[in-house]
Amino acid sequence: MEQTFIMIKPDGVQRGLVGEIIGRFEKKGFTLKGLKFITVDRPFAEKHYADLSAKPFFSKLVEYIISGPVVAMVWEGKNVVATGRKIIGATNPAESAPGTIRGDYAIDIGRNVIHGSDAVESGRKEIALWFPEGIAEWRSSLHSWIYE
Ligand code: DAT
Ligand code: MG
């Protein structure tokens, strides 16, 4: 089954949005496979955002991600990468639809509350980076009530 890496950024933690965000993924029917509350250091954040290292906003982005604890998660389910991105909303909250996490809870692009993998392959890489110890092996007993 497909997996994605989701991270509640430091602003989401500070603003008390952890329960709300986890609830949206849970209620959709996705399965939580990994979760940790951690503050990452600069080299780690730079590795996570390595693809953006040439962007003018890169250093500000890294500064933001290391500014406090984040909630790092692995969620599993059918099409969870693309659907997760829909739940999260457009990168710039000014363009995120109401009903999405960023559309409901964010204003500035540099404080957009949450990260989600943009493809199955980048998800695989991000999960390996954030969860080198591996993730939980379990199957929800609700499976047959969510999938036909
Ligand atoms: P996303 O987080 O939607 O996958 P991304 O991978 O393109 O977006 O960029 C990572 C983060 O970098 C994004 O959540 C916010 C920040 N960012 C992206 N584009 C930006 C821009 N033009 N100015 C400032 N910050 C930006
Ligand atoms: Mg991205």
Side-chain angles (χ1 to χ4, degrees), residues 44-117:
F44 188 95
E46 287 174 347
K47 202 165 177 190
H48 172 74
Y49 280 124
D51 291 351
L52 300 174
S53 60
K55 299 283 186 189
F57 56 82
F58 182 69
S59 63
K60 263 175 65 182
L61 174 61
V62 168
E63 208 61 53
Y64 160 49
I65 294 305
I66 68 175
S67 67
V70 301
V71 178
M73 295 176 279
V74 178
W75 285 90
E76 185 176 273
K78 189 193 270 184
N79 290 321
V80 69
V81 171
T83 305
R85 295 279 295 189
K86 284 187 192 155
I87 291 170
I88 288 170
T91 303
N92 187 344
E95 282 144 28
S96 320
T100 65
I101 291 167
R102 287 167 173 167
D104 287 349
Y105 301 120
I107 294 174
D108 270 349
I109 194 167
R111 296 288 185 274
N112 64 1
V113 172
I114 183 167
H115 165 86
S117 307

